[in-house]
Amino acid sequence: MKVNRRLLFLFYFILLILLVITLNYYLKVTLKDSSKVFTKYFDNLLLNKQFLVAKLDDSFFDKESNKNLKGILTEGPNKYIKGIYFRIDTLKYVEKHGKQYFLYEIPLNLFNLSELSIKYYDIIAEDKVVYSSEPLKIGSKYKKSFFEEFSKSSYGFTFVVGYKAAFVIKLNLFVTMIFTVGFVFFYYLFYIEKGETEKMENVIKNLNMELEKIYESFKKHKRLYEFGSSPTNLESVSKLQKTIKSIFEEFRKIFSEYERTAEILESTMAELEETNAELMEKNLQIISALAEAVEIKDSVTGNHSRNVMDFSLLLADKMGIKEPAEIEAIKYGAILHDIGKIGIPEHILNKPGKLNDEEFEIMKKHTVYGEKIIKTIPGWSLVGDVIRHHHENWDGSGYPDGLKGQEISLRAQIVSIVDVFVALTEDRPYRKGLSVEKSLSIMKDMVGVKFSSELFAQFLEVLKERGYIS
Ligand SMILES: [Fe+2]
C-alpha cells in the first residue's frame, strides 16, 4: 500500500506533540504527589516532638552550644515556633508554650534524602531559606526554579524539593523534541521530496517505537517517582539517549554524504558552465564566419551581420523580450539573416544598378534559401522564422509571404528594422555610408510601410541611449 508521505509526516508530528504533553503531565502529577509526601514526613518529625533537648528560659541560652540563641535564631514562620537554626548535623528549632521556650533538635541524617530523584531540598519561612541541603543558600531570599515542587507544611514552613529526575527527564524531553522536529524537517525536506525514503523510514520507525516504549514505562513505573521508593529508574532515559545518539550519528552520516555530493555537483556544474560558455563562443565564431563568407560574396564590407546582431539584441531588450529562446533566435537570426544569398548568382548580388523584375524575383529567394539551410539544424525553427521573414513589410508589401502587421513575428520585425538601418549607414562599393541622421530621416518615411511606428520609436530610444543621436 502506498502511504501518503505528507500525511505520515503530519501524523508523526502530532504523535510527538501528544507524547510530550502526556509525559509532562505525568511528571507534574507524580512530582507534586511526592513533594506532598515529603512535607508530611517533615511535619511528622515536628509533631513527634521526640527531639526535645532542653527547656530554655527567657535568655534563650543553649547550654550545649554555649550560645545565646536570641541573636542567631532565624525568624520563625508563626507565633508558635519562635525560630529555627541549624548546625552541621542538626536542625534546631524553638517552640513557645506559655512563657516557656523549648529547644528541639532534629538530626539531619533524618533528612538524608539522597535518592537519585532528589537534587536538593530547602525549608522556607517568610520567603527566606531557613534550611537547605545546599548550605550557601541559607539565609538568602528564596528563588523558585523550574525543576522543583513545593508544598506548605502544617507548621507554616514551606518545603521545597528539587528533582534531579525532573531535570534530567525534562531536559531529555526538550532535546528529544528539538532534535526530532529538526530531524523530521530534514527528512521531509531532503528525503520525501527526493523520494529516497526507505532507510530514513526505518530510523523514524525505530524512534517512534522507542518513544512509545518510554511512554509505556512511564505509565508502569509511575510510583518510582514517588518519595520513599527505590532510586528512580533511569533506564528509559538512557535508552532514549542511546536512540538519539544513534539517530544523530545516522543524521550526521547522511548529512556529510549530502554535503559531499553537493560539493561534487557544484564543481561539476561550474565546469559545465565554463565548457558551455566556451562552446557558445565557438558556435558564435563559426556562425559569424559563415555569415562573413556570404558577405564577401555580396561585396558587403565590414561587420554587417555582427552589427545587425548587436543592434537587434539591444532593441529586443528595449522591447522587453526576456525569453532565452527568443533572444537566441534574434541573435543567430540576425547574424544569419542573409545566409541564403549563398544561393544567389554573383552577377545579381553585385549588380551596380537597379535589378530588373526577373533578377529581383531571384534575389527575393535568399530568404527562402536561408530558411532551408537553417531548417537542417534541430531546434532552430525560430531562427528560420527570422531569416525567412526579415524582408516582410508592416503593410504587407514585403516578401516572401507578404505577411502583414502582427502576422510578422516581433523577432523578425526587430531584425528587419535593424537590417535597414545598418545597411543605410554602411559603406557600399558604389556609395559611402549615410549619416545616422540622414538614415533616420529616410527611415521615417518607411514608418507604417516597412515597420510599425512603435518599433521605430523604440529603436530611436535605443540609439539615443547609446549616444548615436541626442
Ligand atoms: Fe536580406
Side-chain angles (χ1 to χ4, degrees):
M1 191 180 74
K2 213 169 152 94
V3 184
N4 184 326
R5 296 189 198 294
R6 281 184 177 81
L7 270 181
L8 193 73
F9 169 76
L10 193 70
F11 169 76
Y12 184 77
F13 196 71
I14 291 169
L15 185 79
L16 185 79
I17 289 174
L18 284 178
L19 195 66
V20 168
I21 291 171
T22 317
L23 287 181
N24 250 320
Y25 174 77
Y26 266 103
L27 266 177
K28 226 180 152 79
V29 170
T30 53
L31 294 185
K32 195 124 200 150
D33 283 354
S34 59
S35 172
K36 274 182 192 154
V37 175
F38 226 162
T39 311
K40 203 157 186 181
Y41 170 76
F42 175 74
D43 279 355
N44 283 337
L45 286 179
L46 296 188
L47 195 69
N48 283 337
K49 295 189 188 348
Q50 53 182 287
F51 309 107
L52 179 66
V53 287
K55 285 180 184 174
L56 301 177
D57 56 17
D58 277 350
S59 68
F60 278 64
F61 190 78
D62 176 17
K63 282 175 193 155
E64 193 216 6
S65 59
N66 202 22
K67 270 181 184 160
N68 187 337
L69 299 182
K70 217 164 197 170
I72 55 172
L73 272 179
T74 314
E75 194 59 30
N78 54 31
K79 269 194 273 174
Y80 185 61
I81 291 182
K82 272 315 279 183
I84 187 161
Y85 80 110
F86 73 96
R87 294 183 44 171
I88 290 168
D89 53 354
T90 58
L91 169 71
K92 292 193 174 191
Y93 72 101
V94 177
E95 271 186 21
K96 189 182 178 192
H97 294 284
K99 288 195 170 170
Q100 188 70 59
Y101 295 95
F102 296 90
L103 181 65
Y104 295 88
E105 182 170 10
I106 304 173
L108 282 181
N109 58 18
L110 286 175
F111 289 104
N112 192 8
L113 306 169
S114 57
E115 302 282 342
L116 256 184
S117 59
I118 290 162
K119 203 175 177 197
Y120 55 83
Y121 49 97
D122 301 335
I123 300 171
I124 316 293
E126 299 284 312
D127 211 25
K128 276 239 169 93
V129 180
V130 293
Y131 183 73
S132 172
S133 63
E134 293 177 350
L136 281 178
K137 281 190 187 172
I138 294 166
S140 65
K141 214 168 143 49
Y142 168 67
K143 277 187 192 135
K144 186 161 172 45
S145 143
F146 183 63
F147 301 107
E148 57 193 24
E149 289 297 334
F150 61 100
S151 61
K152 200 126 184 167
S153 115
S154 50
Y155 282 82
F157 296 101
T158 304
F159 209 80
V160 180
V161 183
Y163 284 90
K164 209 185 274 177
F167 180 76
V168 172
I169 292 165
K170 281 191 180 178
L171 195 69
N172 268 294
L173 273 181
F174 185 64
V175 171
T176 311
M177 198 169 82
I178 294 225
F179 173 77
T180 314
V181 168
F183 174 79
V184 172
F185 181 70
F186 175 84
Y187 169 75
Y188 180 76
L189 210 67
F190 292 96
Y191 286 86
I192 288 189
E193 291 303 314
K194 294 192 174 167
E196 289 176 33
T197 55
E198 206 180 308
K199 201 173 173 190
M200 297 305 284
E201 258 175 10
N202 283 338
V203 179
I204 288 250
K205 222 185 272 168
N206 288 342
L207 176 69
N208 221 354
M209 272 160 57
E210 280 307 320
L211 287 172
E212 269 166 18
K213 260 192 247 162
I214 291 158
Y215 171 70
E216 287 302 319
S217 92
F218 259 93
K219 279 209 297 200
K220 257 188 230 158
H221 303 296
K222 184 185 163 215
R223 289 188 61 78
L224 284 177
Y225 294 95
E226 289 176 5
F227 173 71
S229 67
S230 59
T232 310
N233 183 0
L234 290 174
E235 205 184 321
S236 307
V237 175
S238 85
K239 246 189 200 171
L240 178 63
Q241 281 171 331
K242 269 185 205 153
T243 313
I244 289 169
K245 213 176 146 198
S246 75
I247 292 166
F248 189 71
E249 282 300 320
E250 194 67 33
F251 173 79
R252 226 178 38 179
K253 246 186 345 207
I254 289 160
F255 197 71
S256 74
E257 263 171 42
Y258 164 77
E259 262 186 350
R260 247 202 327 273
T261 315
E263 265 170 33
I264 293 168
L265 267 176
E266 222 168 80
S267 77
T268 313
M269 279 303 287
E271 275 170 31
L272 268 175
E273 264 170 31
E274 211 175 292
T275 316
N276 194 31
E278 277 170 22
L279 266 175
M280 292 287 278
E281 186 49 40
K282 279 224 167 73
N283 258 348
L284 191 63
Q285 282 169 2
I286 292 166
I287 290 165
S288 299
L290 200 61
E292 218 169 294
V294 180
E295 281 171 17
I296 289 167
K297 194 183 168 194
D298 196 11
S299 311
V300 171
T301 52
N303 265 333
H304 176 78
S305 301
R306 277 281 184 153
N307 289 337
V308 174
M309 180 190 88
D310 291 342
F311 279 113
S312 295
L313 288 176
L314 292 173
L315 184 54
D317 185 55
K318 189 85 201 153
M319 295 302 288
I321 295 175
K322 295 274 178 276
E323 181 72 26
E326 283 293 338
I327 293 170
E328 195 194 65
I330 291 167
K331 182 176 176 184
Y332 294 122
I335 295 183
L336 296 170
H337 66 280
D338 274 344
I339 190 77
K341 282 186 179 172
I342 211 153
I344 307 298
E346 255 172 81
H347 72 270
I348 297 177
L349 276 182
N350 296 322
K351 188 177 172 183
K354 228 179 163 226
L355 298 177
N356 64 34
D357 288 351
E358 195 190 332
E359 287 163 342
F360 190 53
E361 282 308 313
I362 294 169
M363 185 63 166
K364 279 179 178 175
K365 288 203 169 124
H366 81 275
T367 51
V368 184
Y369 292 161
E371 191 203 18
K372 202 172 164 194
I373 293 166
I374 292 313
K375 251 189 182 162
T376 56
I377 302 173
W380 265 30
S381 60
L382 297 185
V383 179
D385 169 63
V386 172
I387 295 172
R388 186 181 176 97
H389 296 124
H390 76 278
H391 283 291
E392 298 288 357
N393 290 342
W394 187 251
D395 66 354
S397 62
Y399 62 88
D401 299 319
L403 299 181
K404 202 174 172 181
Q406 301 295 357
E407 286 170 5
I408 314 160
S409 66
L410 184 56
R411 67 187 89 87
Q413 289 180 46
I414 288 172
V415 174
S416 171
I417 190 172
V418 171
D419 187 29
V420 171
F421 174 76
V422 174
L424 286 171
T425 51
E426 269 172 359
D427 291 341
R428 289 288 147 96
Y430 48 90
R431 64 157 170 85
K432 276 286 286 171
L434 302 177
S435 70
V436 171
E437 287 73 19
K438 179 74 188 152
S439 304
L440 289 176
S441 85
I442 292 172
M443 283 174 77
K444 213 170 172 186
D445 294 334
M446 298 176 179
V447 171
V449 180
K450 279 188 95 64
F451 31 76
S452 72
S453 60
E454 195 211 333
L455 195 63
F456 184 63
Q458 294 299 321
F459 186 55
L460 289 181
E461 284 295 310
V462 171
L463 293 177
K464 240 183 237 171
E465 279 166 19
R466 296 281 146 174
Y468 289 93
I469 50 173
S470 50

